[in-house]
Amino acid sequence: MAGTVFIRSCIILCLLIHTAMCQECSQPCDCPAESPLCPVGTSLVLDGCSCCKVCARQAGEPCSFLEPCDHHKDLYCDYGVLSDTETGICMAQEGQTCDLGGVIYRSGETFQPSCKHQCVCMNGEIGCVPTCASNIRLPSPDCPYPRRVQIPGKCCEEWVCDQIPQEDTFQSAMAGRSIAYREITDQSVQPESARDNCIVQTTEWSECSATCGMGLSSRVTNDNEQCQLERQTRMCMIRPCHAELEKDIKRGKKCVRTPKSQRAMRFELSGCQSVRLYKPKFCGVCTDGRCCTPHATATVEVEFRCPEGDTFRKRMMFIKTCSCHHDCPRENDIFLASHSRRMIGDYDNDM
């Protein structure tokens, strides 16, 4: 009897929600001219009518048909929590929790381990974005010796200008290298553009931020029209999570170095999928304690399409070869910038 009452209650609740949906979407779309600016780590999604873009509601926040939860983080609107049938609470789908420094976070939960990072737990994997600007300032006539300083009471460092050199000046990825401009002896001759007089400088790509699944890698370069140092990022996937690569190790061997995907696949990023199918190479595993990491890579632009219909392009690392060694990064280490292994032969490709 109790089960029958519960089922009837669920049916009535669904009918009420469906009726509210039809009423909400009965009018023509009337959206603001500009999309809203969402906080860091919050997705911009379509409302329930697939009409206007709104900032997705996060875990524990009230939600409704017109204010949906962030599906990129596997959140859903639970209408059974509140007595109001038109309003619910964003809840996370059942997923693995994340452990960072002894603190447990639920799947779908957003948190800040420090003021310089905004992170999210997604089914046992932690992803972070920096909250501080990563701009780099070049020396110039009005600022010959720029350097970063920590301002009391502020989280992020800021640039200040010195007129005379100091120790540890110009702390950046280009520290210790020559200034990116050649000196012009004839002041009457003006270069046609900054790039004509530019000495291109580029750092190595950093280690991928994830040992499995989608991660992030970055580098600093001035290879652009303005000859300005900028931070570039690319997506990277060393290997899929939960892949059973050990079965590919041949008899008598201890490692499988660079296995290739047997079936074409689409890359997934924040709920969006790559438009094209790919058969990428991955780094394998060893049975003797060694780990396999990328050795030679290529950088390719990949186009993604989201459920809302939007498309975007991201640089992505494609592995050519891997090497297996004992210099292994720590598992689940989301701050791998200090751990760097040199990769050779990387090039940009518009494949």
Side-chain angles (χ1 to χ4, degrees), residues 264-324:
M265 59 175 288
R266 298 186 192 274
F267 295 111
E268 293 189 4
L269 179 62
S270 299
C272 309
Q273 287 190 333
S274 63
V275 176
R276 286 182 54 183
L277 290 166
Y278 296 91
K279 280 190 174 181
K281 291 181 179 179
F282 299 114
C283 288
V285 293
C286 296
T287 58
D288 59 356
R290 287 181 293 170
C291 57
C292 301
T293 57
H295 178 64
T297 65
T299 303
V300 178
E301 275 208 346
V302 175
E303 184 177 10
F304 290 85
R305 180 176 289 117
C306 302
E308 296 82 15
D310 294 348
T311 60
F312 61 91
R313 302 178 73 88
K314 286 284 188 182
R315 291 188 186 95
M316 187 159 181
M317 178 187 77
F318 278 74
I319 295 172
K320 297 168 66 180
T321 60
C322 299
S323 62
C324 302

Side-chain angles (χ1 to χ4, degrees), residues 128-141:
C128 298
V129 293
T131 56
C132 296
S134 58
N135 62 308
I136 296 177
R137 186 164 184 172
L138 279 173
S140 62

Side-chain angles (χ1 to χ4, degrees), residues 13-24 86:
L13 179 61
C14 292
L15 289 174
L16 290 171
I17 293 172
H18 179 74
T19 303
M21 290 177 181
C22 295
Q23 292 175 349
E24 294 282 6
E86 296 183 5

Side-chain angles (χ1 to χ4, degrees), residues 189-203:
V189 178
Q190 296 296 327
E192 293 181 3
S193 67
R195 189 176 182 85
D196 294 335
N197 195 44
C198 184
I199 300 176
V200 175
Q201 300 179 89
T202 304
T203 64

